Amino acid sequence: MRLFGVILTTCFFLIYHSAAYALSGYWHYNEYLDLNPDQKQLTLSLANAVRLEPKPLQATQENPVKISVIYPGQQVSDYWSRNIRAFELRLNELGVKYEIHQVFTRPNLDIRQQSLSLMEALKNKSDYLIFTLDTTRHKKFIEHVLRGGETKLIIQNVTTPVKDWAHRQPWMYIGFDHEIGTSLLVDYFKKTLKPHSPYSVLYFSQGYVSAARGDTFIQAMTEYPLVSSFYTQANQESAYKITLENMREHPEIKLLYACSTDVALGAVKALKELGREDVLINGWGGGSAELEALQHHDLNVTVMRMNDDTGVAMAEAIKWDLEGKKVPTVYSGDFEVVSSEDKPDRIEMLKQRAFRYSDRH
């Protein structure tokens, strides 16, 4: 099978074997908290602060804090742009003075741009640097920052501490735990998918997100035969092309498990073109584009992040730091499962909760 130069894997044994070790270099979110009761209490306290009304900074701040943000925000998913909006609005409410410099790049691409932006952030002596971790190159960048020691590093979209960094962890890991979100989708499909139905996995690009969302899904779906799986280029076009050929090669597929918004929407386009409304497909994240697709019955289900929680949590953490308080190492926001069968009233209620900052005009 020739699929446009995209890395692919169709051997069930290899995929399943890798699933067992998907996050072997990381502490799982709840595992880390159980091993560190003091951290668990700090995380619970931060989660409580996120849900409450803002309490202004209780410390004198002479100079604005310098914040650098480097995000893979150039994608259909609006998670990243909403995250920054919620972050800034909460900082304003808390009375924190700040200067922010942000760079949005393309996922799985723009490595040189990310590298230059990181070096600039360190050169400018940013107080806080917000970045993500998905590839080996990202890991090397982060290790360089950790060796510097002055800039406090917030790892966004990762909630599983790296074991190799036990002696010196980033200041904070923050996001919506991919394993927890995936387990909610597993529960949904085990209730709705007929026993022994064949399925296929459409990964994000090769890296952490694919392992945490895709490999853990495979590991949990042992009663269902996996017939194919593919790494995409983390965009709609590659997912669309892969799905067209995948479905022609494996017409027996009853579920396409998609690891991201862009991947899901690309697959939806292909399924429509093939007239395969019988195939179940999920979203991952529950942003605006996914919710619209659910309402049109293009997607069957998604796991919806209470999106603005993480932006609010970062703002609260910086406020705590300025007040001299301890900040938790990990924080994961809340999820809700949303399906195409949900009534508009429920979806609207969840949108008001999830986008309570980022939807402000």
Side-chain angles (χ1 to χ4, degrees):
M1 196 185 320
R2 295 165 65 186
L3 285 175
F4 316 98
V6 177
I7 301 168
L8 60 117
T9 312
T10 54
C11 173
F12 173 77
F13 173 76
L14 288 176
I15 285 283
Y16 180 75
H17 182 74
S18 70
Y21 302 97
L23 296 177
S24 60
Y26 301 82
W27 279 293
H28 303 282
Y29 182 69
N30 286 319
E31 174 192 21
Y32 181 80
L33 292 178
D34 288 342
L35 288 169
N36 299 277
D38 56 329
Q39 285 291 326
K40 192 171 192 174
Q41 191 53 54
L42 286 169
T43 298
L44 288 171
S45 296
L46 182 59
N48 191 46
V50 167
R51 296 184 186 111
L52 295 174
E53 290 298 308
K55 294 181 180 177
L57 176 69
Q58 298 295 306
T60 303
Q61 190 186 358
E62 293 182 9
N63 300 307
V65 290
K66 290 182 182 177
I67 304 168
S68 291
V69 180
I70 304 162
Y71 274 177
Q74 291 182 22
Q75 48 186 306
V76 176
S77 170
D78 55 0
Y79 171 73
W80 301 96
S81 56
R82 285 184 177 279
N83 175 267
I84 285 295
R85 180 156 174 75
F87 176 52
E88 291 196 68
L89 287 171
R90 186 71 166 204
L91 283 172
N92 293 341
E93 288 182 344
L94 294 171
V96 173
K97 292 184 280 190
Y98 65 95
E99 295 171 359
I100 192 163
H101 176 69
Q102 63 188 61
V103 176
F104 275 11
T105 62
R106 292 170 294 174
N108 195 40
L109 299 167
D110 297 345
I111 295 294
R112 179 172 167 77
Q113 177 62 57
Q114 291 172 357
S115 179
L116 290 171
S117 299
L118 281 165
M119 293 307 109
E120 187 182 342
L122 297 180
K123 185 181 173 184
N124 293 340
K125 297 189 176 177
S126 297
D127 298 297
Y128 303 93
L129 171 59
I130 309 172
F131 189 51
T132 191
L133 166 60
D134 191 46
T135 68
T136 304
R137 285 184 179 180
H138 289 163
K139 197 171 182 181
K140 288 178 180 175
F141 292 154
I142 290 164
E143 286 170 351
H144 180 77
V145 176
L146 292 177
R147 283 195 295 271
E150 291 179 17
T151 299
K152 291 177 179 174
L153 186 60
I154 300 174
I155 304 294
Q156 172 62 255
N157 204 33
V158 175
T159 56
T160 51
V162 176
K163 289 182 177 180
D164 284 350
W165 299 340
H167 61 290
R168 187 172 194 130
Q169 290 289 356
W171 188 63
M172 195 174 192
Y173 296 86
I174 196 160
F176 293 85
D177 188 75
H178 304 291
E179 288 184 281
I180 293 172
T182 296
S183 70
L184 294 172
L185 288 170
V186 167
D187 291 344
Y188 175 87
F189 285 125
K190 284 187 174 181
K191 290 173 187 170
T192 55
L193 199 59
K194 288 181 181 177
H196 312 298
S197 296
Y199 76 101
S200 178
V201 170
L202 298 174
Y203 286 106
F204 197 61
S205 54
Q206 200 164 16
Y208 174 86
V209 170
S210 286
R213 294 180 183 176
D215 289 350
T216 56
F217 184 83
I218 292 167
Q219 192 172 7
M221 294 287 282
T222 50
E223 312 96 78
Y224 298 86
L226 173 70
V227 297
S228 60
S229 60
F230 305 91
Y231 287 110
T232 68
Q233 292 174 337
N235 59 38
Q236 287 190 71
E237 185 63 19
S238 66
Y240 163 73
K241 290 177 179 178
I242 287 170
T243 301
L244 284 178
E245 195 154 344
N246 187 22
M247 294 307 301
R248 287 170 184 148
E249 186 86 9
H250 299 285
E252 72 275 20
I253 288 170
K254 297 300 180 188
L255 162 66
L256 282 179
Y257 176 76
C259 287
S260 79
T261 298
D262 294 59
V263 171
L265 296 180
V268 162
K269 181 184 173 186
L271 290 177
K272 279 185 171 181
E273 196 170 299
L274 295 169
R276 291 298 305 268
E277 288 81 9
D278 60 305
V279 177
L280 294 176
I281 184 165
N282 65 286
W284 217 111
S288 301
E290 286 191 11
L291 295 177
E292 186 177 339
L294 279 169
Q295 289 175 310
H296 289 118
H297 294 267
D298 292 334
L299 290 176
N300 298 94
V301 66
T302 191
V303 60
M304 183 179 177
R305 297 174 285 214
M306 295 299 101
N307 197 99
D308 293 355
D309 282 3
T310 50
V312 172
M314 290 192 304
E316 289 287 342
I318 288 174
K319 185 196 81 167
W320 284 15
D321 194 35
L322 293 172
E323 291 176 341
K325 296 177 183 175
K326 281 188 178 179
V327 171
T329 302
V330 295
Y331 168 86
S332 175
D334 296 332
F335 290 102
E336 293 285 346
V337 173
V338 184
S339 83
S340 56
E341 305 304 315
D342 277 319
K343 293 179 180 177
D345 286 355
R346 179 173 186 260
I347 293 175
E348 188 56 38
M349 179 191 72
L350 290 174
K351 282 167 72 173
Q352 287 177 14
R353 179 178 155 201
F355 310 139
R356 63 192 188 277
Y357 278 92
S358 57
D359 263 354
R360 287 186 192 173
H361 299 295

